[in-house]
Amino acid sequence: MPSPAPLAPLAGGPALPGEGQWQTVVVSHNQPAVRVASLRPDAQHTSYLAGVLWLDPTFVRGQLRPGTNDPGGTWQATTSLSTLEQKTVAAAFNAGFRLPRDASHGGYYSEGRTAVPLRDNAASLVLRTDGTATVGSWNKEVGMTPDVASVRQNLVMLVDNGTVNPTCATGGPAEWGATLGGAAHIDRSGFGVTATGAEVYVGGSALSVCTLGRILQEAGVVRGRELDINPMWITGVYYQVRPGYPSRDGDAPDDSRPPHSPLPPIL
């Protein structure tokens, strides 16, 4: 994948030292597999940093994992990492709203079966059988094809054709979900893909729907969606091997557990 361009400051004025600059945090085959950057979300919330996670699908394969409660049932994929997976995991992040009571306004498909029916036009994170990801409006930009491994739907598209949804400021809870205390600026996360196929996760505090969309857009996302909101449900981490194991490609001791770092990184 081509190296991502630095993120332009969104807070106005001069950038903080290191703001918007990409740092390589996971290496595979001596190439950057995962990079992170952080930036202030806007000119009003300058004491907060949003973290941006950039994944190269050349080296990172995605998989939808079931939660301990959602979608329910029995799956081949487990809800936690096995010892073997702990040696090779690069990053993990939350998937979206709860499925009960139609909170996500969408469905769940994986391992050849539908746990919750997929809904037309819902914003869909699609993982293919080769581990690459895409995002799009269901049965409009993406749909069921032989190479689809899983689909997780959540709300409507936040970024489409490189443009932030114009209802980001007016859609309210019905479109973007209810926040604690009705706050507009709160912890939010999102995911999208760039024109070259790179995969981008954003997570941070004091984000409105619009600022989340603008950060995704600034990171080069052409199609993206909101994942989850409110403090206790925003999780985005990258994993680094222990000293002495310089890349994802080597073996680690059986009792190793790669340390993880939460987003955003410290500037």
Side-chain angles (χ1 to χ4, degrees):
M1 283 284 165
S3 300
L7 304 176
L10 298 178
L16 298 174
E19 184 175 13
Q21 301 299 312
W22 295 102
Q23 308 168 46
T24 297
V25 293
V26 178
V27 174
S28 179
H29 297 278
N30 297 315
Q31 296 293 326
V34 180
R35 309 178 201 232
V36 295
S38 56
L39 73 169
R40 294 165 294 168
D42 55 39
Q44 288 73 48
H45 301 89
T46 55
S47 60
Y48 294 92
L49 291 172
V52 186
L53 188 70
W54 184 96
L55 304 102
D56 187 337
T58 309
F59 305 108
V60 177
R61 297 188 56 175
Q63 184 184 35
L64 177 64
R65 305 296 286 261
T68 54
N69 294 308
D70 288 4
T74 302
W75 301 87
Q76 295 176 21
T78 60
T79 60
S80 58
L81 296 173
S82 68
T83 300
L84 179 61
E85 290 167 337
Q86 290 172 17
K87 301 175 184 178
T88 59
V89 63
F93 53 85
N94 53 288
F97 287 13
R98 292 290 309 274
L99 295 167
R101 299 184 298 277
D102 197 29
S104 70
H105 298 179
Y108 186 109
Y109 169 88
S110 192
E111 299 179 9
R113 60 191 176 97
T114 301
V116 178
L118 300 175
R119 184 173 297 182
D120 287 349
N121 300 317
S124 305
L125 197 169
V126 177
L127 286 165
R128 307 183 184 95
T129 53
D130 64 359
T132 59
T134 189
V135 176
S137 178
W138 189 249
N139 283 335
K140 181 179 178 182
E141 296 166 316
V142 295
M144 190 59 68
T145 55
D147 65 342
V148 170
S150 60
V151 182
R152 178 66 157 93
Q153 296 184 321
N154 200 60
L155 309 179
V156 297
M157 295 293 287
L158 176 55
V159 178
D160 210 356
N161 295 316
T163 301
V164 178
N165 193 324
T167 69
C168 66
T170 60
E175 194 164 305
W176 304 111
T179 61
L180 296 177
H185 294 82
I186 203 164
D187 296 59
R188 298 181 188 271
S189 58
F191 179 87
V193 292
T194 70
T196 61
E199 300 161 9
V200 177
Y201 169 90
V202 173
S205 302
L207 297 179
S208 69
V209 179
C210 295
T211 53
L212 174 63
R214 282 195 286 271
I215 295 172
L216 287 166
Q217 183 185 49
E218 178 59 31
V221 166
V222 292
R223 295 188 309 280
R225 44 162 259 190
E226 190 175 62
L227 290 177
D228 219 329
I229 59 177
N230 295 313
M232 61 283 290
W233 296 300
I234 306 305
T235 302
V237 298
Y238 57 86
Y239 293 80
Q240 296 178 310
V241 294
R242 295 183 184 278
Y245 300 94
S247 78
R248 288 284 132 197
D249 313 306
D251 289 331
D254 286 344
D255 62 351
S256 71
R257 183 185 180 98
H260 70 273
S261 300
L263 294 177
I266 298 174
L267 290 174

